[in-house]
């Protein structure tokens, strides 16, 4: 199902359920949905179903790789030169619709239920007008391939692509590439399981978030008044969940080394009303300050209060924090991301590539543990299925840092035991949470572990 995490700062589960119900009724969709509070996670609303209310619709579209047989106003042949028409047929483009091609990441978002923002459009047929029904494809070139120049005519496109679905153009073609913001195509049908149309719905009151990511926030169990560090916070979903669970009563430091990301994250936190979060452009692998003999230990709040703002972007200039500063730490470091889905393209990685991720993650761990107070709690999580970054990282933490004790994540929360044969005892495997994308829970691949510092 689609997971909608309620922002308890500005709304309630009952309010979100009622507004989602009304919204989906107004969409006049061919599909019906069930909207209910999750049975074990009180701030989670799950939308299930998508059952067809008619004998026609997307069930028929699943049978085709392109919309050749979808009823629509056809492209008139006199709009195209004969040579162009032959070329179009030869390359397999639909003859019933004009086409836009979006980048791969935009395409993956479409399969999760998103509409298409103009910045995601790479190229398009000539002559597209506002309100026209168009066919949407996603470019699936490798990341290392030469990038395409945005604005290409479809006839000059030479990449590999896959069909995503049908949508309504929200503007004329030229505006796809002249505007920097806004929706370019509103999707009406997607070539996959139907997703509820929730783009921009109930902004500030809820957000779409994967179930395993919500489990992490619940596992960390933030309490009012806590000082918390999120070491790799972008895009901010987990951090804002902590603020919601604390009802803004606490002090959360949210870090990422990218200033660009942190500016965007700051705006997101503001939209969620999460005033207890302090966004910092800070590399968490270098965030542990050494206390000199001439210095006095200062708390995170004292350091932040004394910091000056950057004249360029307003972010606070903070170099780091001292040992024993935080009650709780959320560590969700960069990873191989093998658990993310939907994936339109999986790029090959060698075992050496995967080990580089694990080594990089250890740098975060080595900074996190000194920053955590004695008696404090840390969660470690990734969105990958690679054991070197998951179970073996738990083993590393326990062996290298005797002060850290693995503690069980509540059995009431979703998730399975860790994998056997990769360094953890059966008891330890039962304390962590692993999510398999092929499992019954039907989630992304994910891993989470919880530690207490003795």
């Amino acid at each position: 199902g689609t997971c909608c995490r309620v922002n308890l700062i500005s709304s309630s589960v009952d309010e979100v359920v009622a507004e989602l119900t009304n919204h989906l009724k107004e969409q006049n969709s061919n599909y019906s949905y069930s909207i209910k509070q999750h049975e074990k996670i009180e701030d989670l609303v799950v939308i299930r179903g998508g059952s067809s209310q008619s004998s026609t619709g997307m069930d028929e579209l699943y049978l085709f790789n392109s919309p050749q047989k979808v009823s629509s106003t056809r492209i008139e042949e006199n709009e195209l030169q004969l040579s162009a028409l032959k070329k179009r047929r030869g390359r397999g483009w639909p003859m019933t619709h004009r086409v836009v091609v979006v980048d791969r990441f935009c395409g993956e978002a479409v399969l999760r239920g998103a509409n298409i923002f103009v910045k995601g459009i790479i190229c398009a047929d000539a002559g597209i007008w506002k309100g026209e029904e168009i066919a949407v494809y996603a470019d699936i070139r490798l990341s290392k391939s030469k990038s395409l120049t945005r604005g290409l005519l479809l006839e000059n496109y030479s990449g590999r692509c896959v069909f995503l679905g049908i949508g309504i153009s929200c503007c004329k073609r030229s505006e796809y590439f002249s505007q920097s913001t806004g929706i370019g195509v509103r999707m009406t049908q997607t070539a996959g399981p139907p997703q509820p149309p929730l783009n921009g719905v109930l902004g500030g009151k809820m957000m779409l978030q994967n179930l395993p990511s919500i489990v992490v926030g619940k596992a960390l169990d933030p309490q009012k008044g806590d000082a918390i560090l999120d070491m790799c916070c972008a895009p901010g979903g987990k951090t804002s969940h902590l603020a919601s669970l604390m009802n803004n009563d606490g002090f959360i430091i949210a870090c990422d080394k990218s200033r660009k990301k942190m500016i965007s994250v700051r705006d997101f936190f503001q939209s969620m009303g999460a005033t207890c979060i302090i966004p910092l452009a800070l590399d968490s692998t270098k965030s542990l300050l050494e206390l000199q003999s001439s210095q006095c230990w200062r708390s995170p709040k004292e350091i932040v209060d004394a910091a000056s703002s950057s004249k360029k972007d307003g972010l606070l200039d903070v170099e780091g924090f001292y040992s024993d500063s935080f009650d709780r730490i959320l560590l969700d470091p960069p990873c191989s991301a093998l658990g993310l889905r939907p994936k339109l393209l999986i790029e090959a990685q060698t075992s050496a590539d995967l080990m580089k991720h694990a080594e990089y993650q250890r740098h975060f761990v080595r900074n996190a543990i000194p920053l955590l107070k004695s008696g404090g709690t840390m969660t470690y999580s990734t969105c990958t299925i690679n054991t070197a970054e998951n179970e073996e990282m738990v083993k590393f933490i326990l062996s290298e840092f005797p002060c850290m004790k693995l503690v069980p994540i509540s059995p009431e929360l979703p998730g399975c035991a860790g994998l056997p044969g990769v360094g953890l005892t059966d008891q330890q495997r039962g304390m962590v949470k692993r999510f398999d994308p092929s499992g019954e829970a039907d989630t992304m691949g994910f891993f989470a572990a919880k530690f207490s510092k003795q």
Side-chain angles (χ1 to χ4, degrees):
T2 299
C3 293
C4 304
R5 198 258 299 162
V6 178
N7 180 18
L8 300 176
I9 296 171
S10 58
S11 190
S12 67
V13 170
D14 289 343
E15 182 181 0
V16 167
V17 169
E19 293 194 34
L20 284 175
T21 300
N22 290 334
H23 168 73
L24 291 176
K25 283 181 179 178
E26 292 170 357
Q27 298 304 302
N28 297 318
S29 171
N30 289 327
Y31 297 91
S32 61
Y33 298 94
S34 166
I35 307 172
K36 294 182 180 179
Q37 182 180 24
H38 191 274
E39 56 271 16
K40 294 182 179 179
I41 302 177
E42 63 275 9
D43 59 346
L44 172 59
V45 173
V46 182
I47 304 176
R48 294 189 174 93
S51 57
S52 177
Q53 297 179 3
S54 65
S55 59
T56 60
M58 277 311 296
D59 295 335
E60 296 178 359
L61 190 59
Y62 294 159
L63 301 176
F64 304 100
N65 291 323
S66 66
Q68 298 281 0
K69 297 186 180 181
V70 178
S71 60
S72 170
T73 302
R74 301 180 66 87
I75 299 174
E76 296 296 334
E77 294 194 8
N78 60 13
E79 293 184 32
L80 297 167
Q81 297 293 327
L82 183 61
S83 59
L85 188 63
K86 289 181 178 179
K87 185 176 181 181
R88 185 184 187 88
R89 282 185 175 139
R91 296 183 63 185
W93 295 118
M95 303 305 297
T96 58
H97 294 66
R98 289 185 177 87
V99 169
V100 301
V101 179
V102 302
D103 65 52
R104 173 160 53 98
F105 302 107
C106 177
E108 291 169 351
V110 167
L111 294 179
R112 293 193 293 269
N115 287 320
I116 296 171
F117 288 84
V118 291
K119 293 193 75 171
I121 299 174
I122 298 173
C123 68
D125 262 318
I128 292 175
W129 39 268
K130 182 178 180 179
E132 179 178 354
E133 186 177 77
I134 56 178
V136 180
Y137 291 74
D139 179 72
I140 54 171
R141 67 187 55 240
L142 295 170
S143 297
K144 296 179 180 178
S145 301
K146 184 179 179 180
S147 61
L148 291 173
T149 302
R150 288 189 69 239
L152 282 176
L153 286 169
L154 185 70
E155 61 196 65
N156 297 324
Y157 172 77
S158 60
R160 297 171 56 217
C161 62
V162 292
F163 174 60
L164 293 176
I166 301 295
I168 302 297
S169 180
C170 297
C171 55
K172 60 184 181 181
R173 184 195 189 278
S174 61
E175 292 172 341
Y176 291 161
F177 309 109
S178 64
Q179 297 178 353
S180 59
T181 60
I183 294 176
V185 180
R186 179 175 58 83
M187 298 300 296
T188 57
Q189 300 172 316
T190 54
Q195 301 292 333
L198 297 175
N199 287 316
V201 174
L202 303 187
K205 293 184 178 181
M206 61 150 246
M207 67 168 289
L208 299 177
Q209 192 167 14
N210 288 299
L211 175 64
S213 297
I214 298 171
V215 167
V216 172
K218 300 293 289 186
L220 189 60
D221 191 26
Q223 301 298 306
K224 291 184 177 181
D226 277 348
I228 299 177
L229 173 65
D230 186 343
M231 299 186 75
C232 307
C233 77
K238 297 183 188 70
T239 327
S240 68
H241 189 200
L242 300 181
S244 173
L245 293 171
M246 299 166 70
N247 198 27
N248 252 344
D249 187 353
F251 188 77
I252 303 176
I253 299 293
C255 301
D256 193 284
K257 67 179 182 179
S258 166
R259 297 192 78 88
K260 183 178 179 180
K261 286 182 179 180
M262 288 312 302
I263 292 169
S264 175
V265 168
R266 176 185 59 190
D267 295 341
F268 168 68
F269 293 152
Q270 291 174 351
S271 73
M272 299 294 279
T275 56
C276 68
I277 302 176
I278 308 298
L280 299 178
L282 176 65
D283 183 349
S284 293
T285 65
K286 302 173 183 178
S287 60
L288 178 61
L289 298 178
E290 183 177 346
L291 187 63
Q292 304 297 325
S293 57
S294 59
Q295 295 175 318
C296 294
W297 185 92
R298 292 186 296 165
S299 70
K301 189 174 188 311
E302 289 172 327
I303 291 174
V304 166
D305 287 345
S308 58
S309 299
S310 167
K311 294 181 180 179
K312 182 178 181 180
D313 51 35
L315 293 174
L316 293 176
D317 292 323
V318 172
E319 294 183 357
F321 303 95
Y322 297 113
S323 297
D324 304 308
S325 284
F326 295 97
D327 299 294
R328 298 175 199 271
I329 292 179
L330 192 158
L331 175 53
D332 190 271
C335 69
S336 55
L338 296 177
L340 292 182
R341 67 174 202 178
K343 281 278 197 180
L344 290 173
L345 179 70
I346 298 177
E347 300 190 51
Q349 295 190 61
T350 66
S351 57
D353 293 331
L354 295 177
M355 289 308 300
K356 288 179 182 177
H357 290 293
E359 181 54 43
Y360 186 44
Q361 290 154 3
R362 292 189 184 104
H363 291 302
F364 290 95
V365 169
R366 293 186 181 105
N367 275 262
I369 293 174
L371 289 168
L372 186 64
K373 294 178 182 178
S374 295
T377 300
M378 181 182 86
T379 56
Y380 172 87
S381 56
T382 71
C383 58
T384 187
I385 55 177
N386 177 27
T387 58
E389 301 172 72
N390 295 336
E391 288 88 353
E392 291 175 50
M393 188 62 67
V394 171
K395 180 183 177 182
F396 166 79
I397 292 172
L398 295 175
S399 61
E400 293 293 319
F401 300 93
C403 62
M404 299 300 286
K405 178 184 178 182
L406 184 67
V407 294
I409 297 176
S410 171
E412 293 296 310
L413 293 173
C416 300
L419 294 179
V422 283
L424 301 184
T425 66
D426 288 345
Q427 181 183 24
Q428 291 170 335
R429 291 194 303 110
M431 293 181 177
V432 304
K433 295 288 186 182
R434 173 178 272 269
F435 295 83
D436 190 321
S438 63
E440 292 183 4
D442 192 26
T443 70
M444 65 189 291
F446 202 88
F447 180 88
K450 181 178 179 178
F451 301 88
S452 175
K453 185 175 180 181
Q454 307 302 301

